[in-house]
Amino acid sequence: MIRVLIADDQAMVRQGFGALLAAQPDLLVVGDAADGAAAITQTRRLDPDVVLMDVRMPVMDGLEATRRLCAAGGGPRVLILTTFDLDDYVYEALRAGASGFLLKDAPAADLVQAVRVVAAGDGLLAPSVTRRLIAEFATRPRAQRPRPTALNALTPRETEVLRLIARGRSNQEIAADLVVAEQTVKTHVGRILAKLGLRDRAQAVVFAYESGLVAAGE
């Protein structure tokens, strides 16, 4: 069973998402919270696998709550609930440790699948979100930073795969680009995350840009 906590300041959202997820045989809604501080308290008490986290909440917003939950390590995966008018939060949420994003008006099936994907350890970063993230980096001056030594652990093929991930390519698209099996790409992705100490695909995108491996517009 995948244990889920729902954090949103709107009671109707919490109840609606809760009812939808509770109807799934492999999902268990263990609790909810109306603000970020309560989300942290409830997470420590209930030990969920996934936290659905709204961004704009009183007392403590979802970004700070995500940052605190992910800082300790070994905590739940955080799936950010967002709307199109919250694009400015994408970059900061990823840096805080969020594993993915879900639009609040997404179809019910997408919500259920998103929880399962994030719980399985994969990042949920849709191409549209990746494009917005790249646009955010494009507006920032490129940092003159030394190449992280961690990148030296990657093979040339793994480095190539990381660049493609950062450009928003799916495993299937990467497999087609490199003319290899999709399972081979999955293996490369797993090794990249392990070598760089990253939680998921979402963090890999941020790492690739912040390390200077990829620059917006390339």
Side-chain angles (χ1 to χ4, degrees), residues 87-95 101 125-140 165-166 168 201-210 216:
D87 288 351
D88 291 345
Y89 294 107
V90 170
Y91 174 75
E92 290 304 324
L94 284 173
R95 291 204 67 195
F101 294 83
L125 199 60
S128 60
V129 174
T130 302
R131 284 193 295 271
R132 295 201 298 274
L133 177 63
I134 291 171
E136 168 68 20
F137 277 105
T139 65
R140 296 167 179 255
I165 291 173
R201 197 183 194 91
Q203 288 195 338
V205 173
V206 173
F207 179 90
Y209 281 93
E210 290 201 323

Short mmCIF file of all heavy atoms in Angstrom, two decimals, residues 87-95 101 125-140 165-166 168 201-210 216:
data_model
loop_
_atom_site.label_atom_id
_atom_site.label_comp_id
_atom_site.label_asym_id
_atom_site.label_seq_id
_atom_site.Cartn_x
_atom_site.Cartn_y
_atom_site.Cartn_z
N ASP A 87 3.91 29.16 -12.15
CA ASP A 87 5.13 28.74 -12.83
C ASP A 87 6.38 29.21 -12.11
O ASP A 87 7.42 28.55 -12.15
CB ASP A 87 5.16 29.27 -14.26
CG ASP A 87 4.17 28.55 -15.16
OD1 ASP A 87 3.60 27.55 -14.71
OD2 ASP A 87 3.99 28.99 -16.29
N ASP A 88 6.32 30.39 -11.46
CA ASP A 88 7.49 30.93 -10.79
C ASP A 88 8.00 30.01 -9.68
O ASP A 88 9.15 30.12 -9.26
CB ASP A 88 7.18 32.30 -10.20
CG ASP A 88 6.97 33.36 -11.27
OD1 ASP A 88 7.35 33.09 -12.43
OD2 ASP A 88 6.44 34.43 -10.95
N TYR A 89 7.15 29.12 -9.21
CA TYR A 89 7.53 28.26 -8.10
C TYR A 89 8.21 26.96 -8.54
O TYR A 89 8.74 26.24 -7.70
CB TYR A 89 6.30 27.90 -7.26
CG TYR A 89 5.67 29.08 -6.57
CD1 TYR A 89 4.47 29.60 -7.00
CD2 TYR A 89 6.29 29.67 -5.46
CE1 TYR A 89 3.89 30.69 -6.36
CE2 TYR A 89 5.71 30.75 -4.81
CZ TYR A 89 4.51 31.26 -5.27
OH TYR A 89 3.95 32.32 -4.64
N VAL A 90 8.17 26.68 -9.82
CA VAL A 90 8.69 25.39 -10.30
C VAL A 90 10.15 25.19 -9.91
O VAL A 90 10.53 24.18 -9.33
CB VAL A 90 8.53 25.27 -11.83
CG1 VAL A 90 9.28 24.06 -12.35
CG2 VAL A 90 7.05 25.18 -12.20
N TYR A 91 10.97 26.18 -10.23
CA TYR A 91 12.41 26.07 -9.97
C TYR A 91 12.69 25.90 -8.48
O TYR A 91 13.45 25.01 -8.07
CB TYR A 91 13.11 27.31 -10.51
CG TYR A 91 14.58 27.40 -10.18
CD1 TYR A 91 15.51 26.60 -10.83
CD2 TYR A 91 15.04 28.30 -9.21
CE1 TYR A 91 16.85 26.68 -10.52
CE2 TYR A 91 16.38 28.39 -8.91
CZ TYR A 91 17.28 27.57 -9.56
OH TYR A 91 18.61 27.66 -9.25
N GLU A 92 12.09 26.75 -7.65
CA GLU A 92 12.35 26.68 -6.22
C GLU A 92 11.86 25.37 -5.61
O GLU A 92 12.47 24.82 -4.70
CB GLU A 92 11.71 27.87 -5.50
CG GLU A 92 12.39 29.20 -5.79
CD GLU A 92 13.88 29.18 -5.46
OE1 GLU A 92 14.27 28.53 -4.47
OE2 GLU A 92 14.66 29.80 -6.20
N ALA A 93 10.73 24.87 -6.10
CA ALA A 93 10.21 23.61 -5.57
C ALA A 93 11.14 22.44 -5.89
O ALA A 93 11.38 21.56 -5.06
CB ALA A 93 8.82 23.34 -6.12
N LEU A 94 11.69 22.43 -7.09
CA LEU A 94 12.63 21.39 -7.46
C LEU A 94 13.90 21.48 -6.61
O LEU A 94 14.42 20.47 -6.15
CB LEU A 94 12.99 21.49 -8.94
CG LEU A 94 11.94 20.98 -9.93
CD1 LEU A 94 12.35 21.29 -11.35
CD2 LEU A 94 11.73 19.48 -9.76
N ARG A 95 14.37 22.69 -6.40
CA ARG A 95 15.56 22.86 -5.57
C ARG A 95 15.27 22.43 -4.13
O ARG A 95 16.16 21.95 -3.42
CB ARG A 95 16.02 24.31 -5.57
CG ARG A 95 16.59 24.76 -6.91
CD ARG A 95 17.52 25.93 -6.74
NE ARG A 95 18.73 25.55 -6.01
CZ ARG A 95 19.57 26.42 -5.47
NH1 ARG A 95 19.35 27.70 -5.57
NH2 ARG A 95 20.64 26.00 -4.83
N PHE A 101 5.41 17.44 -10.20
CA PHE A 101 4.35 18.44 -10.20
C PHE A 101 3.08 17.85 -10.78
O PHE A 101 3.11 17.00 -11.66
CB PHE A 101 4.76 19.64 -11.06
CG PHE A 101 5.92 20.40 -10.50
CD1 PHE A 101 7.21 19.99 -10.75
CD2 PHE A 101 5.72 21.51 -9.71
CE1 PHE A 101 8.29 20.65 -10.22
CE2 PHE A 101 6.79 22.19 -9.17
CZ PHE A 101 8.08 21.77 -9.43
N LEU A 125 8.11 14.78 -14.11
CA LEU A 125 8.42 16.08 -14.68
C LEU A 125 7.98 16.08 -16.14
O LEU A 125 8.70 15.61 -17.02
CB LEU A 125 9.92 16.36 -14.57
CG LEU A 125 10.37 17.80 -14.68
CD1 LEU A 125 9.73 18.65 -13.60
CD2 LEU A 125 11.88 17.89 -14.57
N ALA A 126 6.79 16.57 -16.38
CA ALA A 126 6.25 16.57 -17.73
C ALA A 126 7.06 17.49 -18.63
O ALA A 126 7.66 18.46 -18.16
CB ALA A 126 4.79 17.04 -17.70
N PRO A 127 7.10 17.21 -19.93
CA PRO A 127 7.84 18.07 -20.85
C PRO A 127 7.46 19.55 -20.73
O PRO A 127 8.31 20.42 -20.82
CB PRO A 127 7.49 17.50 -22.22
CG PRO A 127 7.24 16.05 -21.95
CD PRO A 127 6.54 16.03 -20.61
N SER A 128 6.17 19.83 -20.51
CA SER A 128 5.74 21.23 -20.40
C SER A 128 6.36 21.90 -19.19
O SER A 128 6.76 23.07 -19.23
CB SER A 128 4.21 21.31 -20.31
OG SER A 128 3.73 20.61 -19.17
N VAL A 129 6.48 21.17 -18.10
CA VAL A 129 7.11 21.71 -16.89
C VAL A 129 8.60 21.88 -17.13
O VAL A 129 9.20 22.88 -16.72
CB VAL A 129 6.87 20.79 -15.68
CG1 VAL A 129 7.65 21.28 -14.46
CG2 VAL A 129 5.39 20.73 -15.35
N THR A 130 9.22 20.92 -17.81
CA THR A 130 10.65 21.03 -18.11
C THR A 130 10.93 22.25 -18.96
O THR A 130 11.90 22.98 -18.73
CB THR A 130 11.14 19.76 -18.85
OG1 THR A 130 10.87 18.62 -18.05
CG2 THR A 130 12.64 19.84 -19.09
N ARG A 131 10.06 22.53 -19.93
CA ARG A 131 10.26 23.71 -20.78
C ARG A 131 10.19 24.98 -19.96
O ARG A 131 10.96 25.93 -20.18
CB ARG A 131 9.23 23.72 -21.90
CG ARG A 131 9.51 22.72 -23.02
CD ARG A 131 8.64 22.99 -24.23
NE ARG A 131 7.23 22.78 -23.96
CZ ARG A 131 6.61 21.61 -24.12
NH1 ARG A 131 7.30 20.55 -24.52
NH2 ARG A 131 5.33 21.48 -23.89
N ARG A 132 9.28 25.04 -18.99
CA ARG A 132 9.17 26.22 -18.15
C ARG A 132 10.40 26.34 -17.25
O ARG A 132 10.88 27.43 -16.98
CB ARG A 132 7.89 26.16 -17.30
CG ARG A 132 6.62 26.21 -18.15
CD ARG A 132 5.43 26.67 -17.34
NE ARG A 132 5.10 25.78 -16.25
CZ ARG A 132 4.32 24.70 -16.37
NH1 ARG A 132 3.80 24.38 -17.55
NH2 ARG A 132 4.04 23.94 -15.33
N LEU A 133 10.90 25.21 -16.80
CA LEU A 133 12.11 25.23 -15.97
C LEU A 133 13.29 25.74 -16.78
O LEU A 133 14.08 26.57 -16.31
CB LEU A 133 12.40 23.82 -15.45
CG LEU A 133 13.66 23.65 -14.61
CD1 LEU A 133 13.56 24.47 -13.33
CD2 LEU A 133 13.89 22.18 -14.29
N ILE A 134 13.42 25.28 -18.01
CA ILE A 134 14.51 25.73 -18.89
C ILE A 134 14.39 27.23 -19.14
O ILE A 134 15.38 27.96 -19.15
CB ILE A 134 14.49 24.94 -20.21
CG1 ILE A 134 14.89 23.48 -19.95
CG2 ILE A 134 15.44 25.57 -21.23
CD1 ILE A 134 14.70 22.57 -21.15
N ALA A 135 13.15 27.70 -19.33
CA ALA A 135 12.93 29.13 -19.54
C ALA A 135 13.38 29.93 -18.32
O ALA A 135 13.93 31.03 -18.44
CB ALA A 135 11.46 29.40 -19.84
N GLU A 136 13.16 29.37 -17.14
CA GLU A 136 13.60 30.03 -15.91
C GLU A 136 15.12 30.15 -15.88
O GLU A 136 15.68 31.21 -15.55
CB GLU A 136 13.12 29.23 -14.69
CG GLU A 136 13.73 29.64 -13.37
CD GLU A 136 13.31 31.01 -12.90
OE1 GLU A 136 12.27 31.51 -13.38
OE2 GLU A 136 14.02 31.60 -12.07
N PHE A 137 15.81 29.10 -16.25
CA PHE A 137 17.27 29.14 -16.28
C PHE A 137 17.77 30.13 -17.34
O PHE A 137 18.80 30.77 -17.18
CB PHE A 137 17.86 27.76 -16.56
CG PHE A 137 17.96 26.90 -15.34
CD1 PHE A 137 17.08 25.85 -15.13
CD2 PHE A 137 18.94 27.13 -14.39
CE1 PHE A 137 17.17 25.04 -14.00
CE2 PHE A 137 19.04 26.33 -13.25
CZ PHE A 137 18.15 25.29 -13.06
N ALA A 138 17.02 30.24 -18.44
CA ALA A 138 17.43 31.12 -19.53
C ALA A 138 17.45 32.59 -19.11
O ALA A 138 18.17 33.39 -19.68
CB ALA A 138 16.50 30.93 -20.73
N THR A 139 16.64 32.93 -18.11
CA THR A 139 16.58 34.32 -17.65
C THR A 139 17.67 34.64 -16.63
O THR A 139 17.84 35.79 -16.25
CB THR A 139 15.21 34.62 -17.01
OG1 THR A 139 15.06 33.83 -15.82
CG2 THR A 139 14.08 34.33 -17.97
N ARG A 140 18.40 33.64 -16.20
CA ARG A 140 19.43 33.84 -15.19
C ARG A 140 20.81 33.87 -15.84
O ARG A 140 21.07 33.11 -16.77
CB ARG A 140 19.39 32.69 -14.15
CG ARG A 140 18.10 32.65 -13.37
CD ARG A 140 17.97 31.35 -12.60
NE ARG A 140 16.73 31.34 -11.84
CZ ARG A 140 16.65 31.50 -10.53
NH1 ARG A 140 17.75 31.68 -9.83
NH2 ARG A 140 15.49 31.49 -9.91
N ILE A 165 18.05 14.19 -20.63
CA ILE A 165 17.06 14.32 -19.56
C ILE A 165 16.80 15.80 -19.27
O ILE A 165 15.66 16.24 -19.13
CB ILE A 165 17.55 13.62 -18.26
CG1 ILE A 165 17.57 12.10 -18.45
CG2 ILE A 165 16.65 13.99 -17.07
CD1 ILE A 165 18.21 11.37 -17.28
N ALA A 166 17.88 16.57 -19.20
CA ALA A 166 17.76 17.99 -18.90
C ALA A 166 17.02 18.77 -19.98
O ALA A 166 16.48 19.84 -19.73
CB ALA A 166 19.15 18.59 -18.67
N GLY A 168 14.40 17.63 -21.36
CA GLY A 168 13.01 17.24 -21.29
C GLY A 168 12.66 15.99 -22.08
O GLY A 168 11.48 15.72 -22.31
N ARG A 201 14.55 11.98 -11.33
CA ARG A 201 14.75 12.67 -12.60
C ARG A 201 14.63 14.19 -12.46
O ARG A 201 15.35 14.95 -13.10
CB ARG A 201 13.70 12.14 -13.58
CG ARG A 201 13.97 12.41 -15.04
CD ARG A 201 12.80 11.88 -15.86
NE ARG A 201 13.14 11.81 -17.26
CZ ARG A 201 13.65 10.73 -17.84
NH1 ARG A 201 13.89 9.64 -17.12
NH2 ARG A 201 13.93 10.73 -19.13
N ALA A 202 13.70 14.62 -11.61
CA ALA A 202 13.50 16.06 -11.42
C ALA A 202 14.78 16.71 -10.91
O ALA A 202 15.20 17.77 -11.40
CB ALA A 202 12.35 16.30 -10.45
N GLN A 203 15.41 16.10 -9.92
CA GLN A 203 16.64 16.66 -9.39
C GLN A 203 17.78 16.58 -10.41
O GLN A 203 18.68 17.42 -10.40
CB GLN A 203 17.04 15.94 -8.11
CG GLN A 203 16.14 16.28 -6.92
CD GLN A 203 16.75 15.85 -5.59
OE1 GLN A 203 17.61 14.98 -5.55
NE2 GLN A 203 16.30 16.46 -4.51
N ALA A 204 17.72 15.59 -11.28
CA ALA A 204 18.75 15.46 -12.32
C ALA A 204 18.71 16.66 -13.27
O ALA A 204 19.75 17.15 -13.72
CB ALA A 204 18.56 14.16 -13.10
N VAL A 205 17.51 17.13 -13.58
CA VAL A 205 17.37 18.30 -14.46
C VAL A 205 18.01 19.52 -13.81
O VAL A 205 18.79 20.25 -14.44
CB VAL A 205 15.88 18.57 -14.77
CG1 VAL A 205 15.73 19.88 -15.54
CG2 VAL A 205 15.29 17.42 -15.59
N VAL A 206 17.69 19.75 -12.55
CA VAL A 206 18.25 20.90 -11.84
C VAL A 206 19.77 20.79 -11.78
O VAL A 206 20.49 21.76 -12.03
CB VAL A 206 17.67 21.00 -10.42
CG1 VAL A 206 18.38 22.08 -9.63
CG2 VAL A 206 16.18 21.30 -10.48
N PHE A 207 20.28 19.60 -11.46
CA PHE A 207 21.72 19.40 -11.35
C PHE A 207 22.41 19.71 -12.68
O PHE A 207 23.46 20.36 -12.71
CB PHE A 207 22.03 17.96 -10.93
CG PHE A 207 23.50 17.66 -10.81
CD1 PHE A 207 24.16 17.86 -9.61
CD2 PHE A 207 24.23 17.21 -11.90
CE1 PHE A 207 25.54 17.62 -9.50
CE2 PHE A 207 25.59 16.97 -11.80
CZ PHE A 207 26.25 17.16 -10.60
N ALA A 208 21.84 19.24 -13.77
CA ALA A 208 22.46 19.42 -15.08
C ALA A 208 22.62 20.90 -15.42
O ALA A 208 23.66 21.31 -15.97
CB ALA A 208 21.64 18.72 -16.15
N TYR A 209 21.62 21.70 -15.07
CA TYR A 209 21.71 23.13 -15.37
C TYR A 209 22.58 23.87 -14.37
O TYR A 209 23.39 24.72 -14.73
CB TYR A 209 20.30 23.75 -15.42
CG TYR A 209 19.60 23.46 -16.72
CD1 TYR A 209 18.77 22.36 -16.85
CD2 TYR A 209 19.80 24.27 -17.83
CE1 TYR A 209 18.14 22.07 -18.04
CE2 TYR A 209 19.18 23.98 -19.04
CZ TYR A 209 18.36 22.88 -19.15
OH TYR A 209 17.75 22.60 -20.34
N GLU A 210 22.44 23.55 -13.09
CA GLU A 210 23.21 24.27 -12.08
C GLU A 210 24.70 23.94 -12.16
O GLU A 210 25.54 24.74 -11.76
CB GLU A 210 22.67 23.96 -10.68
CG GLU A 210 21.31 24.56 -10.43
CD GLU A 210 21.02 24.69 -8.95
OE1 GLU A 210 21.43 23.80 -8.18
OE2 GLU A 210 20.38 25.69 -8.56
N ALA A 216 20.70 26.75 -20.90
CA ALA A 216 19.44 27.02 -21.59
C ALA A 216 19.73 27.56 -23.00
O ALA A 216 20.60 28.39 -23.19
CB ALA A 216 18.63 28.04 -20.80
#
